[in-house]
Amino acid sequence: MQNIRMLQQQVNSLITQARHDIYSISATSDPTAKQVKLQRIWDALTSIQFLNDLLAAHAASSNAAANDRPPINTMASPTAASPAVAVPNQTFTIQDLANYDGKNGRPAYVAVSGVVYDVTNNRAWAAATHFGLVSGRDYTQEFASCHAGQQSILATLPVVGRLI
């Protein structure tokens, strides 16, 4: 329950930030400042969608547990209008994830914050590597240190499951 409250507080904070940025855009004529604000709004909306999907997945699993049924797979493909997607029911251990290294025709997967993404066809992950990182691993810490506040990057990747 405390995690749910924390997610709700994060959503409210992002909404407040986006409202402030929208007001700031209307009050400035500097095109560079407008572009920065628009990117922050985009990132905030992407994060809100991601957090909403986490809350929905939690609600679905809570309802399923209460009804003693497996959760419904609500996976959707990303679109420009809705870049974040719900996490599918497929689960991976660290050992499972290591098998998705992009070698010998295998897909290339990486995990960030418990979500497993398919980077097989992503240009930034050519040859299943990205700036010295190899696919088949959990990069939660690395993503946080290099791409803090840039959830929109993850929203462009297909979600294939979750890391347990």
Side-chain angles (χ1 to χ4, degrees), residues 31-160:
T32 303
K34 283 184 179 185
Q35 187 60 37
V36 168
K37 299 291 184 187
L38 285 171
Q39 183 62 49
R40 279 186 26 176
I41 292 168
W42 176 264
D43 291 342
L45 290 173
T46 302
S47 296
I48 289 167
Q49 181 66 47
F50 178 77
L51 293 170
N52 182 59
D53 290 342
L54 286 177
L55 289 168
H58 176 74
S61 65
S62 294
N63 288 341
N67 295 328
D68 204 28
R69 294 187 311 235
I72 297 170
N73 184 349
T74 58
M75 187 172 99
S77 32
T79 65
S82 175
V85 297
V87 178
N89 289 333
Q90 186 172 357
T91 58
F92 297 82
T93 64
I94 288 290
Q95 294 80 12
D96 295 331
L97 185 61
N99 293 321
Y100 296 90
D101 58 5
K103 295 179 182 171
N104 299 320
R106 291 187 296 261
Y109 294 172
V110 296
V112 176
S113 301
V115 179
V116 179
Y117 299 92
D118 185 345
V119 296
T120 305
N121 298 316
N122 187 279
R123 286 185 305 169
W125 280 88
T129 64
H130 176 70
F131 293 101
L133 305 176
V134 295
S135 60
R137 299 194 183 158
D138 180 6
Y139 289 116
T140 301
Q141 298 296 332
E142 291 81 356
F143 186 85
S145 67
C146 291
H147 303 294
Q150 297 178 335
Q151 293 298 320
S152 60
I153 293 170
L154 296 175
T156 65
L157 299 172
V159 175
V160 293

